[in-house]
Amino acid sequence: MASYDIKRCPACNQPYEKNFYSGKPKPEEKIRYGSPIKVCKYCKKEFIDSDYKEIALEGVPNKEEYNRFTKGTILYTLLSFAMAYFAWLFDFGVLPFVFIGLGIIIIGSDLISYTKRQKHLEREILESKKRMEDPQYALRLLQHGYQVPAEYLPKE
């Protein structure tokens, strides 16, 4: 079952973001990286979207997403290889090779996506540091209740 998450401005209730999930999303799946400060395009009011994390302040909460292999990869690969073994034991023709191929595809997809995930995280870290170099932005975060280290705040 798929679900949509429609985020609305707290001031005027107009939608500002729609997200699609396969199934009901867990809280950690809703985490996004970027500025938590949003400005409604309808009423122009500023508000905080707590699903967005400023990496320079809060770090990376979803570190599991950036591992070389995701949780299910090892399990599904071992299961695929076990099925290949049993298919070979019971002489099911080419079926063992199909399961071995499936296991290789599972591992390969995680290896390929690993570099993409790492590049995405590095880009988000750089963008976060760049945003935090703006003292006015740091002040706005402080006004919204974030704990901002003194190094990011204006010097005066």
Side-chain angles (χ1 to χ4, degrees):
M1 179 178 95
S3 64
Y4 286 94
D5 180 25
I6 300 173
K7 295 182 175 197
R8 297 181 179 277
C9 170
C12 67
N13 206 32
Q14 289 293 321
Y16 69 92
E17 184 177 307
K18 295 176 185 173
N19 295 304
F20 175 77
Y21 300 97
S22 59
K24 184 172 166 95
K26 298 175 187 153
E28 62 270 12
E29 292 174 335
K30 289 183 155 191
I31 293 175
R32 305 275 188 267
Y33 300 117
S35 175
I37 298 174
K38 304 294 177 195
V39 177
C40 178
K41 67 181 181 181
Y42 300 101
C43 69
K44 308 294 186 230
K45 297 232 171 126
E46 187 174 279
F47 60 94
I48 292 292
D49 184 342
S50 59
D51 288 344
Y52 281 83
K53 305 299 178 194
E54 190 65 75
I55 294 176
L57 294 179
E58 303 175 77
V60 180
N62 278 353
K63 289 190 178 183
E64 300 84 38
E65 277 185 24
Y66 299 97
N67 290 339
R68 186 168 302 274
F69 298 109
T70 56
K71 292 177 182 177
T73 300
I74 296 170
L75 174 69
Y76 290 130
T77 302
L78 290 174
L79 184 63
S80 177
F81 289 158
M83 291 174 74
Y85 175 72
F86 285 111
W88 175 75
L89 273 181
F90 294 107
D91 197 25
F92 280 113
V94 296
L95 199 55
F97 299 108
V98 171
F99 286 123
I100 289 172
L102 181 64
I104 291 170
I105 289 171
I106 293 169
I107 289 175
S109 68
D110 256 17
L111 287 174
I112 291 168
S113 71
Y114 173 71
T115 55
K116 184 179 176 183
R117 288 179 279 142
Q118 287 299 326
K119 285 180 184 176
H120 177 262
L121 181 61
E122 289 169 11
R123 189 171 49 251
E124 290 292 342
I125 290 169
L126 287 174
E127 288 174 6
S128 179
K129 286 179 182 177
K130 187 175 180 181
R131 278 191 299 273
M132 292 306 296
E133 287 173 0
D134 178 8
Q136 297 307 314
Y137 176 73
L139 272 176
R140 286 169 53 206
L141 284 172
L142 188 66
Q143 290 169 349
H144 283 291
Y146 282 83
Q147 293 183 354
V148 180
E151 66 187 81
Y152 296 123
L153 296 172
K155 303 297 181 231
E156 68 258 354

